[in-house]
């Protein structure tokens, strides 16, 4: 009888050793199964807007050129206040008023139809993502005068300028308007040598009836090629990026 007890003791001992060796794995599996059947809550950090500043003027143009989506954000996430943006908007329009291109706004009696900060997304160049204020002003209520501005939240400078009105601009005035438009815009961004980048692309391009346009193309080593088009037509002027 003693002959069969020894093997039995050995088998039981081996079984216990295997069981103890597997115990951590079994315990972990049971714990995971229990966790899957329960809801767990943890505190996470609140979403914060992290925008790198000090983007140069050419980078700002690249941001507007390559933007791929705008997200409206709350005003407390922006650096400027709406009151500051309103003042900047009037300051931005002043040179156009002085040039005889925006007469209805000379007395600052415009109504702010829209003023909101938006986040610009540039997926292929995340370092260019930034915030600007989308601003729409309407002038003389007895006629149609509207200015649409993009004001940079970091610098307060104008990144786009568009004006549409009931006033009729004659074809003879188109060249003067185009020259003044480009000069006021680029000077505001402190790009003084913009004239060196004027192209002849738009001279033969169709830009609409009773309209004229000019293109400035910048080749930047860091931001690539940036084209800025200025248009003047019978009822205003506007700009586009390519």
């Amino acid at each position: 009888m003693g002959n069969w007890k020894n093997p039995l003791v050995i088998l039981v001992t081996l079984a216990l050793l295997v069981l103890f060796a597997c115990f951590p794995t079994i315990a972990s599996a049971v714990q995971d199964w229990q966790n899957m059947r329960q809801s767990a809550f943890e505190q996470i950090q609140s979403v914060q807007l992290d925008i790198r500043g000090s983007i140069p003027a050419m980078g700002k143009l690249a941001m507007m050129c390559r933007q791929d989506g705008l997200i409206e954000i709350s005003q407390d996430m922006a650096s400027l206040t709406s009151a500051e943006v309103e003042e900047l908007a009037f300051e931005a329009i002043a040179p156009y008023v002085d040039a005889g291109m925006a007469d209805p706004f000379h007395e600052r009696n415009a109504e702010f139809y829209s003023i909101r900060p938006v986040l610009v997304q540039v997926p292929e160049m995340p370092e260019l993502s930034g915030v600007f204020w989308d601003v729409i002003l309407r002038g003389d209520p007895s006629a149609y005068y509207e200015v649409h501005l993009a004001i940079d939240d970091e610098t307060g400078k104008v990144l786009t300028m568009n004006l549409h009105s009931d006033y009729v601009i004659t074809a003879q005035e188109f060249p003067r308007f185009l020259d003044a438009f480009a000069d006021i815009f680029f000077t505001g961004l402190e790009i003084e040598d913009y004239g060196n980048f004027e192209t002849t692309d738009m001279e033969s391009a169709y830009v609409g009836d009773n309209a004229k346009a000019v293109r400035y193309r910048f080749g930047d080593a860091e931001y690539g090629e940036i084209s800025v088009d200025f248009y003047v037509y019978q009822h205003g002027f506007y700009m586009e990026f390519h």
Side-chain angles (χ1 to χ4, degrees):
M1 185 172 178
N3 294 333
W4 61 268
K5 284 185 178 181
N6 290 335
L8 180 61
V9 171
I10 293 173
L11 288 174
V12 172
T13 302
L14 290 174
L16 290 174
L17 289 173
V18 172
L19 178 62
F20 288 135
C22 295
F23 181 78
T25 302
I26 296 172
S28 177
V30 172
Q31 187 176 21
D32 290 344
W33 178 77
Q34 289 178 333
N35 288 339
M36 290 175 64
R37 299 182 61 193
Q38 297 177 357
S39 298
F41 299 91
E42 291 185 15
Q43 289 187 346
I44 62 173
Q45 293 182 348
S46 59
V47 177
Q48 295 181 350
L49 194 61
D50 183 16
I51 299 297
R52 294 186 178 94
S54 302
I55 300 175
M58 203 55 61
K60 298 292 185 180
L61 294 182
M63 178 181 74
M64 301 304 291
C65 180
R66 296 181 174 83
Q67 61 176 281
D68 185 20
L70 301 174
I71 301 174
E72 184 172 356
I73 61 175
S74 63
Q75 295 192 9
D76 58 5
M77 298 177 72
S79 299
L80 298 172
T81 66
S82 58
E84 290 172 330
V85 173
E86 289 182 8
E87 182 63 26
L88 288 168
F90 282 123
E91 291 177 5
I93 295 172
Y96 297 94
V97 174
D98 294 340
M101 301 169 65
D103 291 341
F105 296 94
H106 72 283
E107 292 183 355
R108 292 196 172 200
N109 58 351
E111 173 191 359
F112 283 88
Y113 178 76
S114 174
I115 178 168
R116 58 182 187 138
V118 294
L119 171 64
V120 184
Q121 294 182 305
V122 186
E124 69 273 20
M125 301 181 76
E127 69 276 11
L128 289 182
S129 297
V131 174
F132 71 78
W133 288 76
D134 184 60
V135 182
I136 299 177
L137 298 87
R138 290 180 176 168
D140 187 351
S142 64
Y144 173 65
Y145 289 93
E146 181 174 285
V147 169
H148 194 171
L149 294 165
I151 296 178
D152 183 34
D153 184 59
E154 179 191 359
T155 64
K157 298 182 183 299
V158 175
L159 299 179
T160 63
M161 169 70 176
N162 303 284
L163 182 145
H164 308 282
S165 72
D166 286 341
Y167 175 78
V168 176
I169 304 171
T170 65
Q172 289 73 26
E173 293 180 287
F174 287 174
R176 181 181 72 82
F177 268 62
L178 273 181
D179 290 344
F181 190 8
D183 184 64
I184 294 170
F185 178 77
F186 286 125
T187 300
L189 289 174
E190 299 180 3
I191 302 176
E192 305 293 345
D193 62 343
Y194 69 90
N196 298 331
F197 302 94
E198 182 178 347
T199 74
T200 58
D201 293 4
M202 310 302 281
E203 291 181 2
S204 58
Y206 176 71
V207 296
D209 297 331
N210 299 312
K212 188 175 178 62
V214 62
R215 171 173 294 170
Y216 295 85
R217 182 185 295 113
F218 303 89
D220 188 83
E222 184 175 359
Y223 303 114
E225 187 174 283
I226 306 162
S227 294
V228 188
D229 297 349
F230 296 86
Y231 295 83
V232 175
Y233 73 112
Q234 281 186 311
H235 295 289
F237 49 91
Y238 59 98
M239 57 189 300
E240 294 180 348
F241 294 89
H242 297 281

